[in-house]
Amino acid sequence: MASKAVPFYQRRHKHYDQDYRSTQTRYLVQEYSASSSRASSSKSRTLKSTVSAQAVGSRSPRVSPHSKSLRFAADEETVEFTEPPFRNRNVAEEEEYKRRMVHFGNELSVLEHEVRKAREATRHQVDKLAIQRVVEEKMAFERHVREECMIRAPEFLVRLRTHTVWEKSPVKLFCTVEGYPNPIVKWFKDNVIIDTASEPGRYRIDSKYGVHSLEIHRCEVRDTAQYTAVATNVHGQTSTNASVIVKRYRGEEEPYHSVLLPMQIPMLPEITYTKIDIMFLEKFEVTFGTEGETLTLVCKMMIVPDMANLQPEAQWYRDDVRIKESKWAEMKFGAGVARLTLTHLNKDDEGLYTLRMVTKGGSSQHCAYIFVRDAESTVVGAPGAPMDIKIHDANKDYVIVSWKPPNITSDSPVIGYFVDRCEVGTENWIQCNDSPIKICKYPVHGLFEGRSYMYRVRAVNNKGISRPSRVSEAVAALDPADLARLQVIHLERGKQIVICQDELEGDVKIPGPPTNVHASETSKIYVVLSWEPPAPRGRESLMYYIEKSMVGSGTWQRVNTQIPVRSPRYAVFDLAEGKQYLFRVLAVNKFGISNASEPTAPIQVQELYGAPSAPGRILATRNTKTSVVVQWDPPKQAGGLIGYYIDSSIVGSKQWKTCNNKPVKHTRFVVHGLTTGQNFIFRVKAVNDVGFSEESQESSPINVHAALTSPSPPYGITLLACDGHSMTLGWKHPRYSGGSKITAYYIDQRDVADLHWKETNVPPIKERIYKVENLKEGSFYEFRIQAANLAGVGLPSDASDHFKCETWVMPEPGPSYDMTFCEVRNTSLVIQWRAPIYTGSSAVTGYHVDICEMGSEEWKTVNEKAVNHRYLKVSDLEEAKSYVFRVRAVNAAGVGKPSDVSEPVFVQARPETLEIASGVDEEGNIYMSYKCNEMTDISQFVWCKSYEEITEFDRVSIETEGDHSKIVFKNPDKEDLGTYSVSVTDTEGVSASYVLEDKELEKLMALSHEIRNPMIPLKTELSYEIFERGQVRFWLQAEKLSSAVNYRFIVNDQEVTNSETHKIKCDSSTGIIEMVMDKFTAHSEGTYTVQMQDGKAKNQSSLVLIGDVFKAALEEAEFQRKEYLRKQGPHFLEYLYWHVEEDCTVMLICKVANVKKETVFHWYKDEVEIIPEEPDNVMSGICKLPIPQFSKKDQGVFKATLTDDRGQDVSLFEVAGKVFDDIINGISRIAGSSASELKIQCTPEGIRLQCHMKYYTEEMRTVWSHKDTKISSSEKMRIGGTSEQIWLQICEPTDKDKGKYTIEILDAKQSYHRTIDLSGQAYTDAYAEFQRLKQAAFAEKNRGKVIGGLPDVVTIMENKTLSLTCTVFGDPTPEVVWYANEKEIELGDHFKVTLEQGKYASLTINGVSTEDSGKYGINVRNKYGGETVNVTVSVYKYGDDLPAPKLGQMPKPAPPPVQKPAAKQPQPPKTGRQTRK
């Protein structure tokens, strides 16, 4: 197997780790250069100490990777030498001193030079070590970052290959695997792991630089096996396998010779491969899919011989390009089935798919086209997604992305594209261009060197943005020139040394200028510049700056001011259209900038080519029943042509549809998925990366049918009879007629002993049965047959079986023949056959049909009883299974020879199977019709009754037009009942049947009678309605009327014409005919009829208005007339009605209309005017009369009147009977819903249960119940209430009165329940309170009291006698005490007190004087209590004025005598448990 083709930048990622100079390292080198220049400037200063230099040389300074410069303390020290003070010298000493100084100065100069050289060497060594350490740290950090970005699952770049070796020869299997972290590779032999320790020296496993190998020393036959290498890391696992075949030499011949001996190479025989025959059983057909779906192509085949160790290889191709296993395509092969699964369809997947089964002896293949439609867009009207994303010219900082545009036949034109990129390992998609790019190519900048990216494209039109395209393959941002700069030195034992060419460069400081600067690509929006790096380039990494100059300007402008270019090419944007530019390039490294390169020739932004011109002449020809071959001439201007899009349209529809969603490169295309029998036209447009061409001219219309070819061979040759010198043969119609009627058959024959065929018949045979004469008895013959049509003679059939020419003398019949199948449905089919030619000793009386399921050898008889006709419907079959059949004829001698076994029949209804439809046409003819969607030019409808072709047309006629055919019954009756069937020739078994039964025929005949004797159908019979002025409208509505309809109205046998009093009209659009009578009087009684005729259809409708019906209509007309007159003045729009407000006030309401300010409104009850507190405002349109606390007294007749100068209107409303009951029910509804819970209230008489509500009147229907037993009002249980509450008084309660009490308030629809439980503690507390109140009432009743007789003020003259007398009461008789000025009176002659009969008390004052004036009081008391009554007495003298009277005081009841309580006083009353229903 060939090694996998992988781009260099995916094969060699590792060389970055050791040889690549990163961007950060370059910056560090630049910083070092700056520090070196600063250090060199310090050398010009004074001499530094040698000791400092030695100290520097003795230590290695630690340089931080983040330091900005490299300098040493010794470099900054300055040592100044000063002359020490000497004592005074004489002349000799001074000369000696000078001599010594000169000598010392010379030695010092030499020493200084040596020290300077040593210091420079030391500094250079220290700097070199420091830089090396920083570089190593930086590279380690970059390697870690890069390794994180390069994480990926294992992938075999070079897979294992199969080897065939001689016995005792070594073999070595190699594979190359890529992945990060580095994958671990394990080796397996026939799925068993190889253990090198088990057989030392036999296996050797090695792994170096991603290349893994397995070496087998001195192979043996047992080493023949399948070897597998499995690579695994934390991100996944993959494997590759290959076979090793070890062959053995014959005899003692050695497989190889020593190189020291003369070698003789034996002549090997020619290799003969085993022939493997592959026959496809089930093939994938032309398929239509939609983006996003999953599609599986399946091909089943028979492999002969089928050997497990010698299987063919299944290879899949799309447009002749081998498909590789990926996440988009999964391939499987095994057990004679090859599968290709497209996991997520995309338009990139559209194309011609080919399956090639490759063997050593050749290959077999099958192909079919797969169409992929656009997925539904997220934005209505947005274009389809672009496709086929390709990456070109990948470099360190940019790539060029190209794509193919989508078809825009049914969408708005594309105005541009957006390009997105995503770094591998992330999900962050970044849009590369701010504005849409109009061409299908775009250079992407801003990439990070060494990282891998994926790309996608989206199309834009005026409706929105399309879905994104399928993402491209991951591409690394690398310069391919870097690989060319690597040299590999091969050493012994397979070792290699990789050296970068930069390491062999000399010490080049500033680089030279780039060369060969030129424009490699131009367009309207950008120019791509390319150049060659300077040579020599030096060891340092290079960057480039690009400058541009407009021709004639003389000035240069830098293009990439912020981002230096790292690869020798760059795309320049923002150039003025129509202007010419010069470009030059400068190279930069850490030492400086090179001179500028030679300027380019003038370059102008322009397209090398525009959109292509329209394709030329287009021609459409027939292909199959659903496809057409479209061919065209290429466009004259076809620069950068990508392909063509083909559109189709049904003739007359003016709606164009896309035929392909991916551009095709050839000028010929087969359009599939067309409707058989339809007329289509086609057009083509070309496309390149600039845009679309104009549409070509439309092709000529073509009717979709199969192309005319010669027919396929006949089959099923059967021997039907033999008399010893002749044979009667029968055969079946060719499966494919070639698009033309079969006109002849030709038979060839030969004796089995003869190899040569000879013609049997010279004249053509028309029928599929023929008697071959002049045969030799006892000989064996075989035959073959050819069919012919207008296209010519087809291929001959396969040779028949060997037929022996001998006379048939058996008494049973011969075989039936020409079995055909029709009406194949999901569980049934119909089989037909022809009678045997050889009938035996007697006539054929019936037939048996046998069935056998495919794969089984068990035959079953379908019909136990022989049928006497030559057809049979077989039911109860299993869907989607295949069966074979045979037929056996029966005569008096027995069952005859079975027919040949039929071909397998797959039991399943064809898609969109149609059935025969029955009906009645517009002329009343009964028919059966059938439509076939698979008609060809030679297809014919064959109608049968009881599966016998109809050849006599005295009772029926057959009409066929296009793809429709119908059989029409001339005079249908019971003779026409039966089974009718139709079949269509030259189709794949299109047929149907229909059973015409008695009931169905009766319905059809009734419908036929209605059509032949048509009546105008009516939606509505003649009716009448009365208008507001008393006019009467007579009308009817028909289902449908034409404008030519004739009609008339007849009243009491006299026609009425259109006049002022009788307005007659017809609206044909609605089918309404009407007559409006202006005056409907007593003379209008009678019969009304409408007669109408529309073409042949007639109808009439009558309405009888006589007696009570007429009187009711007349009264209604009179009422409407009066109503109309009434409404001319002030009137009631709505008469009086009642309404109950939420506070239970009853409102009488009426609505008035046509009133004015002068209109007077009055209320009356029983003819007595009611004047409401607030007068009604008639201008508001509503008048109301409130009736608060409604009761029986409010019954009567209420009247409202409206009066002004235009007239008067009256509304009467009687509140009585049902109306009164309804009002009470309305009050009950509101009062019942507002009723409170029952509460307990104790009285001296007993216990009272009371319920508060908004309003209560005794007319309301209420029901009290005790323990679900209704309570009637009695002395024991008294029922009563007030306007705000209702109560139940339980007098003198006992224990029997305990239990649940319920009050039910009823209205007309529902009831309202309130419940309380008077038992337990609630009853105890209530009973105690009742007793207390009862005792208090008894004491109040029997206490002492003054019941009358005393005045409040008494005025008397002095010296008179005053007698104060009153009546007192008390039981027992009270005691009476009189007081004067709040002091008890002392009795004597002046004051006398008497009490007669225990109730008449008196105080007599004899001879009153002024001193007797004051306040007198009487205190009446017994054991239950008493009271004091005061009287003011005024005494005046004779002659004085009478004093003013003073008001007295009300008697004050005296408290009862204080008694010690015998028992605990009862608690205040409490309510019991309360419930609400």
Side-chain angles (χ1 to χ4, degrees), residues 41-88:
S41 63
S42 65
K43 295 179 183 178
S44 61
R45 294 182 296 176
T46 58
L47 186 65
K48 297 180 177 61
S49 173
T50 58
V51 177
S52 299
Q54 293 174 359
V56 170
S58 63
R59 58 191 172 97
S60 298
R62 179 178 180 87
V63 182
S64 171
H66 304 287
S67 63
K68 295 184 179 180
S69 62
L70 298 172
R71 62 177 62 186
F72 304 94
D75 295 337
E76 297 179 358
E77 295 179 1
T78 304
V79 181
E80 297 182 358
F81 293 91
T82 59
E83 182 178 353
F86 290 99
R87 54 182 173 81
N88 293 330

Side-chain angles (χ1 to χ4, degrees), residues 721-919:
C722 182
D723 58 6
H725 56 81
S726 65
M727 292 182 182
T728 302
L729 302 178
W731 59 89
K732 292 185 178 180
H733 194 281
R735 290 185 175 89
Y736 177 62
S737 64
S740 176
K741 183 179 180 180
I742 303 296
T743 58
Y745 294 96
Y746 298 94
I747 303 177
D748 296 336
Q749 70 179 57
R750 70 178 178 184
D751 193 298
V752 174
D754 192 359
L755 297 178
H756 301 286
W757 293 92
K758 65 179 181 179
E759 294 181 353
T760 300
N761 63 305
V762 176
I765 303 172
K766 302 295 184 182
E767 300 297 330
R768 287 182 289 112
I769 186 171
Y770 185 74
K771 188 174 184 179
V772 182
E773 302 283 355
N774 302 322
L775 299 179
K776 184 179 180 181
E777 187 173 2
S779 298
F780 287 89
Y781 292 91
E782 57 182 355
F783 303 88
R784 68 181 186 185
I785 305 174
Q786 295 172 271
N789 62 5
L790 291 177
V793 179
L795 296 175
S797 66
D798 293 335
S800 67
D801 294 336
H802 297 174
F803 298 143
K804 184 177 181 180
C805 184
E806 61 180 358
T807 304
W808 287 8
V809 294
M810 54 196 176
E812 297 84 5
S816 302
Y817 70 102
D818 198 15
M819 274 190 294
T820 58
F821 300 90
C822 61
E823 302 173 37
V824 179
R825 301 297 184 261
N826 289 333
T827 58
S828 64
L829 55 82
V830 175
I831 179 174
Q832 302 179 64
W833 60 89
R834 292 191 181 186
I837 300 298
Y838 178 80
T839 59
S841 59
S842 60
V844 175
T845 58
Y847 301 91
H848 289 290
V849 176
D850 299 334
I851 184 173
C852 178
E853 186 177 343
M854 285 294 294
S856 173
E857 297 181 357
E858 181 183 0
W859 287 91
K860 298 179 181 179
T861 303
V862 177
N863 56 320
E864 295 297 335
K865 183 179 179 181
V867 296
N868 56 5
H869 46 73
R870 295 190 302 277
Y871 66 89
L872 182 67
K873 184 172 184 179
V874 183
S875 304
D876 300 328
L877 302 176
E878 292 188 35
E879 185 179 356
K881 284 195 174 182
S882 297
Y883 298 88
V884 292
F885 298 85
R886 68 186 184 188
V887 179
R888 293 174 293 146
V890 180
N891 65 3
V895 180
K897 182 180 180 181
S899 65
D900 287 348
V901 177
S902 69
E903 57 187 353
V905 182
F906 187 69
V907 179
Q908 191 172 51
R910 294 172 56 82
E912 301 179 0
T913 299
L914 301 178
E915 301 293 346
I916 295 175
S918 63

Side-chain angles (χ1 to χ4, degrees), residues 21-37 65 67-70 131-132 134-135 138 509 539-541 589-592:
R21 271 78 170 174
S22 65
T23 305
Q24 289 82 354
T25 306
R26 295 174 184 170
Y27 293 159
L28 184 61
V29 173
Q30 293 175 359
E31 292 171 2
Y32 166 71
S33 300
S35 65
S36 298
S37 63
S67 63
K68 295 184 179 180
S69 62
L70 298 172
I131 292 174
Q132 183 176 356
V134 172
V135 169
K138 286 293 184 180
K509 301 298 183 180
R539 298 182 179 181
E540 308 301 333
S541 59
N589 65 7
K590 72 174 184 179
F591 297 107

Side-chain angles (χ1 to χ4, degrees), residues 254-265:
E254 287 292 332
Y256 58 88
H257 301 267
S258 172
V259 295
L260 301 178
L261 301 176
M263 183 174 61
Q264 296 180 356
I265 301 177

Side-chain angles (χ1 to χ4, degrees), residues 972-974 977 997-1005:
D973 55 26
K974 292 187 177 181
L977 300 177
E997 298 178 344
D998 193 6
K999 292 183 179 180
E1000 179 70 15
L1001 182 61
E1002 289 179 1
K1003 293 180 181 179
L1004 294 174
M1005 292 180 68

Side-chain angles (χ1 to χ4, degrees), residues 84-95:
F86 290 99
R87 54 182 173 81
N88 293 330
R89 303 181 182 89
N90 53 28
V91 176
E93 292 175 345
E94 186 70 23
E95 290 179 355

